[in-house]
Amino acid sequence: MDLVFIAQDCINGVLMGLIYGLVALGLTLIFGVLKVINFAHGSFLMVGMYVAYWAVTLSGLHPYLALVIIVPAMFLFGYWIQNLLIRPIFIAEKNVREPITVIIVTTGLWYVLDNLALLVFGPDYRALAPNPLKGQMLEFGEIFISVPKLYGAIATLATAGGLYLFLQRTRLGRAVRATSLDREAASLMGIGQWKIFNIAFGIGTAVAGISGAVLTPFYNVYPTVGIPFDIKSFVIVVLGGLGSIWGALVGGVIVGLIESVGPNFMASTWTEGIVYALFLLVLFVKPSGLFGQKQDW
Amino acid sequence: MALLDIENVNVAYGDVQVLFDLNISVHEGEVVSIIGGNGAGKSTMLKTISALMQSSSGSIMFDGKPMHNLPPEEVVNHGLVHVPEGRRLFSLMSVRDNLLAGAHNKKAYAVREKTLEEVYTMFPRLEERQDQAAMTLSGGEQQMVAIGRGLMACPKLLMLDEPSLGLAPILIAEIFRTIRAIADKGLTVMLVEQDVKHSLSLSDRGYVLEHGRAAMEGAANDLLDSPYIREAYLGI
Ligand SMILES: Nc1ncnc2c1ncn2[C@@H]1O[C@H](COP(=O)(O)OP(=O)(O)OP(=O)(O)O)[C@@H](O)[C@H]1O
Ligand SMILES: [Mg+2]
């Protein structure tokens, strides 16, 4: 076996893993604040990819420039979904800390969004056009690096860093953290729970939008495109620790590496088994994940 | 007119009524103690004032404005600030971030650096520990953060729910001294306590809450001297 191949697979694994981490970032952020898993997160990614696809198709912008349209559009989408659809359930079950009905509603939303996409856009696989990043490679001797994936990995680090600074350094970020730790105490400090929930949902959805812009240059868009990413995101956030930004990135890289390096040593169907085995192992051994804080949610 | 006026307030958890036709008022500049045993309804009263709970009837007026229809985050904007029982700090956030989170409302945020300095002057230990996560502090230090966080909101009336809870006697004395010092600066304070002796001795007036009703009220000194209080609450 050639070391160059392994190095190549490692690079691919890290790049793709970071992009998985980006998708998981939105999920982990929403969980961190609302304490409920958003089962529609994959569908939000799908919406983000279609928004990116159409923003680029209609405006002719570079997909990364189109972020100026995608991010606010997706933020507002998530903000209003939470405000109109999820908040009423929290209010109806205000004595339940993690209302199971929210999970049911987000699952319903997943089906509705995926089927709406099928209805409106049809089942076609759509490739981004114009696509300035199409098939671009950087060459280092025998090693090739996919430019769109490299850009995606950089976008992931920038997004995670930006989120971290927002949460640590700003008034609103501090309010988001306070709400995630103790909603009631936060409201006693003048921090409105529902506004923070809306904003957190908006940000998580905007991150799904960024993921959409990152993925479309090398990944086709279709109505159920969110599902494989959705499942990976759950695994990743559990690996890294629910609610942890850096945990999502590390979890993503672990999954990316197993997926890309693993097939050198075994049939590639086995790699998925390893990912899930690791998922279960973490749940058994350290349920708070690699970076999760051991505390009462 | 009183700064805070609670009139005929009734509150229930589901079918279980906890507060019955409660009437309490606090005037500007006063320190008022609310004393009563476990389950008397003291915390429920504070939660109702700060709008964490809804009353089924009655009115709560603060500074001449009705509070009973506002959400909790807006009550704070009027300067009515509740420091909850058990401290309820943001456990993983630093001491400094806990304090700054207290200054979330616009008015308080504008003067946060100045208030932060005042809080640090009052509790020098908090400045030494400002970068430490709140959950790693001792109980006494945590109570200082809880009070400091309340002060950061720039209250007109500070409501404290059992600040002495779970503290060693020497720390209790220190916390009560601090509360008196805060009041001496002109802040109006409502102090909910089970430590009857300490709290009444630093208060101007007091109410005795029993089974959700105001059983007695009066000047703090009179309450301290009353045979009933001496027997039922001070064990003398
Ligand atoms: N969430 C709740 N659900 C139902 N009943 C409650 C709830 N919280 C408090 N109660 C009841 O309401 C009554 C008053 O409780 P409250 O906490 O106001 O008492 P308290 O005077 O603050 O007591 P303590 O000094 O022990 O803190 C108690 O009988 C209590 O059992
Ligand atoms: Mg109490």
Side-chain angles (χ1 to χ4, degrees):
Chain A
M1 198 174 345
D2 202 331
L3 270 181
V4 173
F5 287 136
I6 302 277
Q8 175 76 61
D9 287 339
C10 284
I11 290 171
N12 280 340
V14 169
L15 296 183
M16 203 54 212
L18 282 170
I19 295 169
Y20 290 153
L22 180 62
V23 179
L25 206 54
L27 186 68
T28 214
L29 192 88
I30 290 173
F31 179 87
V33 179
L34 280 76
K35 312 298 181 218
V36 290
I37 286 282
N38 172 22
F39 273 87
H41 193 68
S43 303
F44 284 17
L45 173 67
M46 177 275 293
V47 173
M49 287 179 77
Y50 272 106
V51 171
Y53 174 85
W54 286 111
V56 170
T57 307
L58 298 178
S59 71
L61 284 174
H62 187 287
Y64 281 74
L65 279 180
L67 282 172
V68 297
I69 307 169
I70 300 164
V71 168
M74 290 298 285
F75 176 85
L76 289 176
F77 178 62
Y79 187 101
W80 286 102
I81 290 269
Q82 143 64 27
N83 198 32
L84 297 177
L85 231 55
I86 298 177
R87 186 179 58 120
I89 305 164
F90 271 108
I91 291 175
E93 299 204 29
K94 65 167 173 281
N95 296 323
V96 186
R97 194 161 155 85
E98 299 152 35
I100 200 97
T101 24
V102 172
I103 293 176
I104 295 169
V105 165
T106 60
T107 309
L109 192 61
W110 160 15
Y111 281 90
V112 169
L113 288 175
D114 283 17
N115 283 297
L116 264 180
L118 187 64
L119 200 68
V120 177
F121 302 119
D124 319 355
Y125 281 51
R126 293 163 189 263
L128 194 66
N131 184 357
L133 296 172
K134 188 173 181 180
Q136 280 194 35
M137 290 281 178
L138 290 178
E139 225 181 298
F140 296 96
E142 289 179 68
I143 291 181
F144 293 86
I145 294 178
S146 149
V147 172
K149 287 184 190 171
L150 179 65
Y151 278 18
I154 294 169
T156 300
L157 295 174
T159 304
L163 271 179
Y164 179 78
L165 288 179
F166 163 73
L167 289 172
Q168 294 295 324
R169 301 279 166 85
T170 68
R171 168 172 177 256
L172 191 56
R174 213 177 279 122
V176 170
R177 278 191 294 148
T179 303
S180 80
L181 290 167
D182 190 336
R183 300 166 189 174
E184 210 174 66
S187 72
L188 289 181
M189 296 297 112
I191 301 167
Q193 174 186 349
W194 306 121
K195 193 177 147 205
I196 298 296
F197 276 24
N198 290 347
I199 288 170
F201 222 86
I203 294 174
T205 311
V207 172
I210 298 175
S211 318
V214 159
L215 282 169
T216 41
F218 64 92
Y219 210 98
N220 287 333
V221 188
Y222 51 95
T224 53
V225 66
I227 292 173
F229 288 96
D230 208 1
I231 296 169
K232 278 193 190 98
S233 296
F234 293 145
V235 174
I236 287 167
V237 294
V238 168
L239 278 181
L242 276 162
S244 159
I245 294 182
W246 307 115
L249 300 197
V250 173
V253 169
I254 292 173
V255 171
L257 281 173
I258 294 175
E259 265 188 18
S260 76
V261 181
N264 288 308
F265 305 98
M266 64 197 93
S268 65
T269 39
W270 270 98
T271 60
E272 213 155 305
I274 292 189
V275 167
Y276 290 113
L278 196 62
F279 171 72
L280 289 177
L281 188 73
V282 167
L283 279 180
F284 281 127
V285 177
K286 193 169 186 295
S288 55
L290 300 173
F291 285 74
Q293 296 283 355
K294 204 172 168 189
Q295 55 138 352
D296 162 53
W297 286 106
Chain B
M1 191 179 54
L3 180 62
L4 175 69
D5 237 323
I6 302 172
E7 267 180 35
N8 299 317
V9 162
N10 289 282
V11 180
Y13 291 98
D15 294 335
V16 185
Q17 186 159 357
V18 174
L19 297 182
F20 300 85
D21 285 322
L22 197 63
N23 288 285
I24 280 178
S25 58
V26 178
H27 296 268
E28 200 163 345
E30 268 188 326
V31 178
V32 173
S33 274
I34 313 289
I35 59 178
N38 289 110
K42 307 182 296 297
S43 298
T44 304
M45 181 190 88
L46 289 195
K47 284 186 204 165
T48 310
I49 299 172
S50 57
L52 287 179
M53 291 194 63
Q54 294 288 312
S55 52
S56 50
S57 66
S59 75
I60 297 170
M61 305 291 285
F62 183 69
D63 224 0
K65 289 173 229 95
M67 295 289 121
H68 45 270
N69 294 321
L70 297 179
E73 61 271 17
E74 281 176 37
V75 170
V76 180
N77 295 339
H78 288 90
L80 187 51
V81 175
H82 173 187
V83 176
E85 184 175 325
R87 337 209 200 286
R88 301 285 289 268
L89 300 184
F90 305 121
S91 55
L92 299 173
M93 287 165 63
S94 69
V95 167
R96 188 185 151 85
D97 279 349
N98 265 276
L99 295 172
L100 287 174
H104 186 80
N105 73 76
K106 283 206 177 67
K107 251 183 277 168
Y109 195 73
V111 295
R112 66 191 182 283
E113 292 299 338
K114 188 173 144 281
T115 327
L116 189 63
E117 218 164 279
E118 287 170 17
V119 170
Y120 282 157
T121 312
M122 190 177 299
F123 303 112
R125 218 164 336 156
L126 297 189
E127 187 166 17
E128 288 162 28
R129 283 155 207 264
Q130 59 175 339
D131 296 321
Q132 216 168 304
M135 66 195 260
T136 64
L137 298 182
S138 74
E141 289 160 353
Q142 291 194 11
Q143 188 58 56
M144 294 174 196
V145 178
I147 295 175
R149 189 177 64 176
L151 290 173
M152 290 297 292
C154 294
K156 282 185 203 150
L157 169 57
L158 186 66
M159 305 188 288
L160 301 167
D161 196 347
E162 297 204 41
S164 72
L165 191 74
L167 300 187
I170 185 164
L171 282 175
I172 293 181
E174 189 182 331
I175 286 288
F176 280 117
R177 260 201 307 280
T178 311
I179 294 168
R180 187 62 246 176
I182 291 169
D184 288 339
K185 287 187 181 166
L187 186 60
T188 312
V189 176
M190 182 147 103
L191 179 56
V192 161
E193 260 302 340
Q194 292 209 46
D195 188 329
V196 173
K197 190 156 165 262
H198 270 109
S199 60
L200 280 180
S201 14
L202 67 80
S203 300
D204 302 305
R205 275 189 320 120
Y207 289 84
V208 181
L209 216 58
E210 280 176 5
H211 307 296
R213 294 180 169 85
M216 274 178 96
E217 75 164 285
N221 286 333
D222 295 346
L223 290 179
L224 270 175
D225 291 338
S226 115
Y228 174 69
I229 300 266
R230 288 170 71 90
E231 192 185 321
Y233 290 94
L234 298 171
I236 308 174

